Amino acid sequence: MTDPVAVWRRLADSAVLLDGFHALKHAVRFGAEVPVAVTTDGGAALALADELAPDVREALRELLTEVPESTYASLVPRPHPTAVAALAVRPAREAQLRTLARLPRQAPVVVLDNPRNLGNAGAVIRLAAGFGATGVVTTGTLDPWHPTVVRGGAGLHFATAVERLDVEELPPGPVFALDPEGEDIRGVKLPDDAVLAFGSERSGLSAALRARADHLLALPMRPQVSSYNLATSVAMTLYHWSATGDAPR
């Protein structure tokens, strides 16, 4: 029988950490390759599957290996309340780029321009997956596959294309950038091939992204309120697209 701890230590530096039951559930549901998965309580993990994910219960039963709590704690940066963790193979960059570049598109690409907060980036990826966006692109130094981002995204990186690119490498399509000086979004119909760009939490859109934008859009906001959280802005914009886009809903 293969030693799961040995497999974990061999793959840990190159694989994607799935931290918690929900991250593993989503990764399996959306076709991730998962070489190793561990838990401190197999019965509890399968009970969660019975309740929340019966569609992947048998797959999880095959994947999960029960290990002592001390072993589990040695494999993860911090224990998750569900005491489940796994490693997944990161999708090939070439395949992700093909997905992002393919036209015609049925849903927008979300661009986070030089984001700073790992949790915010994860929340955006979770939103994008929920709305069926084609993918999420980050510019700048933040790694969108960082373990904290994957945790914030609940493993839904595998439900959409996620990559880091330079501004000049953005996927094709009209770029709609969110900016307080832009046109009120409520009067604009967002096409399905849109590239929706959002500036960083601290400094907004970079000069390079602003120059690349075809349209500047503003979200409705009460006077004297400074800004929305990044994930909130993405959620409002994707909802507006879902209500006004071209594809049948």
Side-chain angles (χ1 to χ4, degrees):
M1 182 177 179
T2 304
D3 178 6
V5 176
V7 174
W8 189 289
R9 302 213 185 275
R10 175 168 55 84
L11 299 176
D13 289 341
S14 59
V16 177
L17 174 63
L18 301 173
D19 195 9
F21 173 83
H22 297 291
L24 175 59
K25 168 194 74 178
H26 283 136
V28 170
R29 182 174 285 160
F30 289 100
E33 181 182 347
V34 181
V36 59
V38 298
T39 181
T40 63
D41 188 337
L46 292 180
L48 271 178
D50 286 332
E51 179 184 357
L52 302 174
D55 58 310
V56 296
R57 184 196 188 279
E58 286 307 302
L60 296 181
R61 184 181 65 79
E62 293 290 331
L63 281 171
L64 284 165
T65 301
E66 195 166 301
V67 297
E69 287 187 18
S70 59
T71 300
Y72 164 72
S74 73
L75 300 177
V76 295
R78 52 177 175 152
H80 191 275
T82 58
V84 170
L87 295 179
V89 176
R90 179 171 173 171
R93 179 176 171 84
E94 294 75 17
Q96 301 278 76
L97 294 179
R98 284 196 299 272
T99 297
L100 292 167
R102 190 177 297 127
L103 289 175
R105 279 199 299 270
Q106 297 300 308
V109 171
V110 173
V111 176
L112 303 183
D113 187 27
N114 200 25
R116 300 296 187 181
N117 186 286
L118 296 166
N120 270 343
V124 167
I125 290 166
R126 189 171 184 173
L127 278 165
F131 274 99
T134 296
V136 177
V137 169
T138 64
T139 70
T141 58
L142 183 143
D143 176 9
W145 287 86
H146 185 283
T148 302
V149 182
V150 178
R151 181 172 178 142
L156 283 162
H157 284 59
F158 295 93
T160 190
V162 178
E163 275 298 334
R164 178 168 51 184
L165 297 171
D166 292 332
V167 171
E168 58 269 20
E169 299 173 318
L170 292 182
V175 177
F176 292 81
L178 276 291
D179 186 90
E181 299 176 3
E183 179 183 359
D184 191 320
I185 193 172
R186 290 172 291 185
V188 177
K189 181 177 180 179
L190 295 174
D192 294 335
D193 63 350
V195 176
L196 306 175
F198 301 82
S200 74
E201 299 90 340
R202 180 172 299 178
S203 55
L205 295 168
S206 66
L209 198 294
R210 184 183 287 271
R212 174 72 174 77
D214 299 294
H215 310 274
L216 292 180
L217 300 179
L219 293 167
M221 186 182 300
R222 180 181 177 180
Q224 298 182 314
V225 174
S226 301
S227 64
Y228 293 120
N229 171 272
L230 175 60
T232 301
S233 297
V234 175
M236 293 171 71
T237 304
L238 284 175
Y239 179 80
H240 180 73
W241 160 73
S242 75
T244 65
D246 297 327
R249 307 292 170 227

